[in-house]
Amino acid sequence: MRWMSSSASFVTALPKIHQKALAGLAAALLLAVFIPSTDNSISSPLSLDHLIDTDAPFFETPTLSIRQQKAPWAFDKVPANETLLIPNIGRSNSYQYIVRKGDTLSSIFERLQLPQKTMYQLLETDLNVLALDNLKPGHTLVFDKQDQQLLRLELQFNLAHKVVYQRKEDNGFEFNEVRLEGDWKQKLISGEILYSFTGSGKQAGLSQWEAQTITELLKQRVDFRRDIQRGDTFEVLLSRQYVDNEMTGNNKIEAIRIKNRRHEINAFLFEDNYYDEKGRNLEKAFQRYPFSGKYRLSSHFNPKRRHPITRLIRPHNGTDFAMRKGSPVVTTGDGIVTRVVRHKYAGLYIEIQHGQSYKTRYLHLNKSYVVKGQRVKRGERIAQSGNSGRSTGAHLHFELHVNGRPVNAMTAKIPIAVSLTGKKKSSFQKQLKDYLAQIEASQAQQIALNKKDSTVKESTL
Ligand SMILES: [Zn+2]
């Protein structure tokens, strides 16, 4: 089965994100995303049909007079038949570009005739975020120019998550990753299994990614092929993120209950980990170091680091280990490989997603033994360390992210497969009660709705 990243949920949430955007825009974007060989006129709607109006204060709804304006090219010449950049209303010298299928940062820069030097400066800044090589159709880039120079670039993944690159004189850019907390609203997805959990789950409203995360999480406790049969039931309590009443596409799985003929399988999210009803950790343990043996720690995690010469802020979002080129690198937890990428500055790097909350990255590699989409087990050899990209000597740069944020992998609380005890256990039990109450309440609501529905149907018969 092909692994799908969290952008899948973003895509499914697309039509609801921008209620103010034209319906045609949503349809065109969806088509562009779902149909691989779409005719260009569909995948690149013209001019303002492209406009996604986000809720950031500097974006305003376009007025008619501005709609009729021809979108000027950001940086000099405009190919006559192309209107890829949309002026950002209310902000002069600001333009938006919506990422299309097949785009890469360099193809976008080429099409927009932006200098390659600027792109390399951005990539250099992006080294510790690695956001720019994760562009997907539907993401928005906002370019601000000044004196024919790129002053600021904003990459909007969704309403709640963006990365801003700001020029600092001639030296390059600094970045700032912005995540809004937003409001999280719960929603119960429930149903009966017909052929498979994944199929019926998706039918009921789970994304592919969510269904896969659940089977991955519970596979030690239930054999989804053998133990799950037609007529078994499931309940999944999701939490969906909203910013200004619009769905961002970010979802969290909070509680899972699967009932088959013999028993009930439960999982509840508590402090970034899943536990069963007895407070036993369901997640596989991590190991602290991405290798076996001992290597010298040569550079610490430091979110406030500055470049020694330019003085620009260059957060070091990982931990470096001095390792001879060719040393074996292992994954610190079970997971799925989400990226194997060659980057001008990060070199050859691997990213692995571990369940819902954790992600690790391994940079400057010499050789990868894994491919994107592959499942890996804790301690499995995934690569040879190296010196690729911009690196002052052979070393491994290792990152751990929790819920999308880089943390110090040497000190972070990582899942260790133990049961909750004492105070933790009582606060878990409180949380568990809340989840169960929420599930019951949603069910009661659904039953009431169904009854109302059938009464309506009956009365119209
Ligand atoms: Zn490093």
Side-chain angles (χ1 to χ4, degrees), residues 113-128:
Q113 298 169 8
L114 295 172
Q116 217 181 27
K117 185 186 166 206
T118 308
M119 185 181 80
Y120 286 134
Q121 284 178 326
L122 283 165
L123 284 177
E124 197 260 329
T125 309
D126 194 43
L127 175 62
N128 275 297

PDB file of all heavy atoms in Angstrom, residues 113-128:
ATOM      1  N   GLN A 113      11.246  33.388 -13.403  1.00  0.00           N
ATOM      2  CA  GLN A 113      12.485  34.098 -13.747  1.00  0.00           C
ATOM      3  C   GLN A 113      13.114  34.781 -12.540  1.00  0.00           C
ATOM      4  O   GLN A 113      13.535  35.927 -12.597  1.00  0.00           O
ATOM      5  CB  GLN A 113      12.213  35.097 -14.875  1.00  0.00           C
ATOM      6  CG  GLN A 113      11.757  34.389 -16.135  1.00  0.00           C
ATOM      7  CD  GLN A 113      11.214  35.334 -17.191  1.00  0.00           C
ATOM      8  OE1 GLN A 113      11.296  36.542 -17.055  1.00  0.00           O
ATOM      9  NE2 GLN A 113      10.667  34.779 -18.248  1.00  0.00           N
ATOM     10  N   LEU A 114      13.158  34.055 -11.462  1.00  0.00           N
ATOM     11  CA  LEU A 114      13.830  34.566 -10.267  1.00  0.00           C
ATOM     12  C   LEU A 114      15.267  34.056 -10.270  1.00  0.00           C
ATOM     13  O   LEU A 114      15.523  32.957 -10.733  1.00  0.00           O
ATOM     14  CB  LEU A 114      13.113  34.068  -9.008  1.00  0.00           C
ATOM     15  CG  LEU A 114      11.692  34.570  -8.809  1.00  0.00           C
ATOM     16  CD1 LEU A 114      11.033  33.867  -7.639  1.00  0.00           C
ATOM     17  CD2 LEU A 114      11.687  36.069  -8.600  1.00  0.00           C
ATOM     18  N   PRO A 115      16.192  34.858  -9.748  1.00  0.00           N
ATOM     19  CA  PRO A 115      17.602  34.459  -9.812  1.00  0.00           C
ATOM     20  C   PRO A 115      17.881  33.165  -9.043  1.00  0.00           C
ATOM     21  O   PRO A 115      17.336  32.948  -7.959  1.00  0.00           O
ATOM     22  CB  PRO A 115      18.344  35.625  -9.157  1.00  0.00           C
ATOM     23  CG  PRO A 115      17.344  36.667  -8.866  1.00  0.00           C
ATOM     24  CD  PRO A 115      15.975  36.143  -9.105  1.00  0.00           C
ATOM     25  N   GLN A 116      18.751  32.362  -9.629  1.00  0.00           N
ATOM     26  CA  GLN A 116      19.127  31.103  -8.997  1.00  0.00           C
ATOM     27  C   GLN A 116      19.839  31.355  -7.663  1.00  0.00           C
ATOM     28  O   GLN A 116      19.676  30.602  -6.713  1.00  0.00           O
ATOM     29  CB  GLN A 116      20.046  30.332  -9.935  1.00  0.00           C
ATOM     30  CG  GLN A 116      19.786  28.857  -9.865  1.00  0.00           C
ATOM     31  CD  GLN A 116      20.698  28.073 -10.769  1.00  0.00           C
ATOM     32  OE1 GLN A 116      21.821  28.484 -11.083  1.00  0.00           O
ATOM     33  NE2 GLN A 116      20.233  26.918 -11.205  1.00  0.00           N
ATOM     34  N   LYS A 117      20.586  32.456  -7.635  1.00  0.00           N
ATOM     35  CA  LYS A 117      21.329  32.790  -6.413  1.00  0.00           C
ATOM     36  C   LYS A 117      20.351  32.934  -5.228  1.00  0.00           C
ATOM     37  O   LYS A 117      20.619  32.455  -4.126  1.00  0.00           O
ATOM     38  CB  LYS A 117      22.103  34.097  -6.624  1.00  0.00           C
ATOM     39  CG  LYS A 117      22.990  34.453  -5.457  1.00  0.00           C
ATOM     40  CD  LYS A 117      23.647  35.808  -5.608  1.00  0.00           C
ATOM     41  CE  LYS A 117      24.238  36.239  -4.271  1.00  0.00           C
ATOM     42  NZ  LYS A 117      24.331  37.687  -4.132  1.00  0.00           N
ATOM     43  N   THR A 118      19.207  33.572  -5.508  1.00  0.00           N
ATOM     44  CA  THR A 118      18.205  33.757  -4.461  1.00  0.00           C
ATOM     45  C   THR A 118      17.699  32.410  -3.974  1.00  0.00           C
ATOM     46  O   THR A 118      17.519  32.175  -2.785  1.00  0.00           O
ATOM     47  CB  THR A 118      17.013  34.587  -4.995  1.00  0.00           C
ATOM     48  OG1 THR A 118      17.537  35.767  -5.577  1.00  0.00           O
ATOM     49  CG2 THR A 118      16.032  34.931  -3.914  1.00  0.00           C
ATOM     50  N   MET A 119      17.476  31.493  -4.938  1.00  0.00           N
ATOM     51  CA  MET A 119      16.977  30.171  -4.566  1.00  0.00           C
ATOM     52  C   MET A 119      17.987  29.450  -3.666  1.00  0.00           C
ATOM     53  O   MET A 119      17.619  28.840  -2.660  1.00  0.00           O
ATOM     54  CB  MET A 119      16.703  29.335  -5.803  1.00  0.00           C
ATOM     55  CG  MET A 119      16.062  28.010  -5.451  1.00  0.00           C
ATOM     56  SD  MET A 119      15.764  26.988  -6.880  1.00  0.00           S
ATOM     57  CE  MET A 119      17.382  26.299  -7.134  1.00  0.00           C
ATOM     58  N   TYR A 120      19.266  29.548  -4.011  1.00  0.00           N
ATOM     59  CA  TYR A 120      20.268  28.880  -3.189  1.00  0.00           C
ATOM     60  C   TYR A 120      20.367  29.509  -1.803  1.00  0.00           C
ATOM     61  O   TYR A 120      20.575  28.823  -0.810  1.00  0.00           O
ATOM     62  CB  TYR A 120      21.627  28.864  -3.908  1.00  0.00           C
ATOM     63  CG  TYR A 120      21.638  27.855  -5.037  1.00  0.00           C
ATOM     64  CD1 TYR A 120      22.137  28.171  -6.289  1.00  0.00           C
ATOM     65  CD2 TYR A 120      21.124  26.579  -4.831  1.00  0.00           C
ATOM     66  CE1 TYR A 120      22.120  27.240  -7.320  1.00  0.00           C
ATOM     67  CE2 TYR A 120      21.097  25.648  -5.853  1.00  0.00           C
ATOM     68  CZ  TYR A 120      21.600  25.981  -7.092  1.00  0.00           C
ATOM     69  OH  TYR A 120      21.577  25.061  -8.100  1.00  0.00           O
ATOM     70  N   GLN A 121      20.192  30.834  -1.749  1.00  0.00           N
ATOM     71  CA  GLN A 121      20.189  31.481  -0.427  1.00  0.00           C
ATOM     72  C   GLN A 121      19.027  30.966   0.418  1.00  0.00           C
ATOM     73  O   GLN A 121      19.174  30.716   1.607  1.00  0.00           O
ATOM     74  CB  GLN A 121      20.077  33.005  -0.589  1.00  0.00           C
ATOM     75  CG  GLN A 121      21.381  33.651  -1.043  1.00  0.00           C
ATOM     76  CD  GLN A 121      21.223  35.159  -1.238  1.00  0.00           C
ATOM     77  OE1 GLN A 121      20.161  35.633  -1.642  1.00  0.00           O
ATOM     78  NE2 GLN A 121      22.278  35.894  -0.969  1.00  0.00           N
ATOM     79  N   LEU A 122      17.873  30.769  -0.243  1.00  0.00           N
ATOM     80  CA  LEU A 122      16.703  30.256   0.478  1.00  0.00           C
ATOM     81  C   LEU A 122      16.936  28.824   0.936  1.00  0.00           C
ATOM     82  O   LEU A 122      16.626  28.456   2.071  1.00  0.00           O
ATOM     83  CB  LEU A 122      15.465  30.316  -0.418  1.00  0.00           C
ATOM     84  CG  LEU A 122      14.837  31.692  -0.591  1.00  0.00           C
ATOM     85  CD1 LEU A 122      13.874  31.685  -1.765  1.00  0.00           C
ATOM     86  CD2 LEU A 122      14.102  32.107   0.683  1.00  0.00           C
ATOM     87  N   LEU A 123      17.485  28.016   0.035  1.00  0.00           N
ATOM     88  CA  LEU A 123      17.733  26.603   0.382  1.00  0.00           C
ATOM     89  C   LEU A 123      18.716  26.493   1.534  1.00  0.00           C
ATOM     90  O   LEU A 123      18.607  25.616   2.387  1.00  0.00           O
ATOM     91  CB  LEU A 123      18.270  25.849  -0.835  1.00  0.00           C
ATOM     92  CG  LEU A 123      17.241  25.488  -1.900  1.00  0.00           C
ATOM     93  CD1 LEU A 123      17.926  24.810  -3.080  1.00  0.00           C
ATOM     94  CD2 LEU A 123      16.159  24.573  -1.330  1.00  0.00           C
ATOM     95  N   GLU A 124      19.688  27.406   1.539  1.00  0.00           N
ATOM     96  CA  GLU A 124      20.686  27.408   2.602  1.00  0.00           C
ATOM     97  C   GLU A 124      19.996  27.703   3.948  1.00  0.00           C
ATOM     98  O   GLU A 124      20.256  27.058   4.946  1.00  0.00           O
ATOM     99  CB  GLU A 124      21.742  28.467   2.259  1.00  0.00           C
ATOM    100  CG  GLU A 124      23.037  28.338   3.031  1.00  0.00           C
ATOM    101  CD  GLU A 124      23.093  29.303   4.188  1.00  0.00           C
ATOM    102  OE1 GLU A 124      22.495  30.389   4.062  1.00  0.00           O
ATOM    103  OE2 GLU A 124      23.695  28.969   5.214  1.00  0.00           O
ATOM    104  N   THR A 125      19.080  28.669   3.903  1.00  0.00           N
ATOM    105  CA  THR A 125      18.319  29.011   5.121  1.00  0.00           C
ATOM    106  C   THR A 125      17.416  27.858   5.533  1.00  0.00           C
ATOM    107  O   THR A 125      17.188  27.609   6.708  1.00  0.00           O
ATOM    108  CB  THR A 125      17.440  30.250   4.849  1.00  0.00           C
ATOM    109  OG1 THR A 125      18.262  31.253   4.284  1.00  0.00           O
ATOM    110  CG2 THR A 125      16.784  30.755   6.106  1.00  0.00           C
ATOM    111  N   ASP A 126      16.917  27.155   4.512  1.00  0.00           N
ATOM    112  CA  ASP A 126      15.929  26.097   4.744  1.00  0.00           C
ATOM    113  C   ASP A 126      16.548  24.805   5.287  1.00  0.00           C
ATOM    114  O   ASP A 126      15.839  23.873   5.643  1.00  0.00           O
ATOM    115  CB  ASP A 126      15.209  25.811   3.418  1.00  0.00           C
ATOM    116  CG  ASP A 126      13.939  24.992   3.628  1.00  0.00           C
ATOM    117  OD1 ASP A 126      13.200  25.291   4.578  1.00  0.00           O
ATOM    118  OD2 ASP A 126      13.706  24.057   2.848  1.00  0.00           O
ATOM    119  N   LEU A 127      17.877  24.798   5.342  1.00  0.00           N
ATOM    120  CA  LEU A 127      18.593  23.579   5.744  1.00  0.00           C
ATOM    121  C   LEU A 127      18.021  22.944   7.014  1.00  0.00           C
ATOM    122  O   LEU A 127      17.924  21.731   7.105  1.00  0.00           O
ATOM    123  CB  LEU A 127      20.074  23.937   5.938  1.00  0.00           C
ATOM    124  CG  LEU A 127      21.008  22.865   6.480  1.00  0.00           C
ATOM    125  CD1 LEU A 127      21.076  21.677   5.542  1.00  0.00           C
ATOM    126  CD2 LEU A 127      22.402  23.449   6.670  1.00  0.00           C
ATOM    127  N   ASN A 128      17.652  23.773   7.982  1.00  0.00           N
ATOM    128  CA  ASN A 128      17.165  23.204   9.232  1.00  0.00           C
ATOM    129  C   ASN A 128      15.646  23.155   9.364  1.00  0.00           C
ATOM    130  O   ASN A 128      15.117  22.893  10.436  1.00  0.00           O
ATOM    131  CB  ASN A 128      17.795  23.919  10.424  1.00  0.00           C
ATOM    132  CG  ASN A 128      19.145  23.314  10.753  1.00  0.00           C
ATOM    133  OD1 ASN A 128      19.237  22.148  11.110  1.00  0.00           O
ATOM    134  ND2 ASN A 128      20.202  24.080  10.564  1.00  0.00           N
TER     135      ASN A 128
END
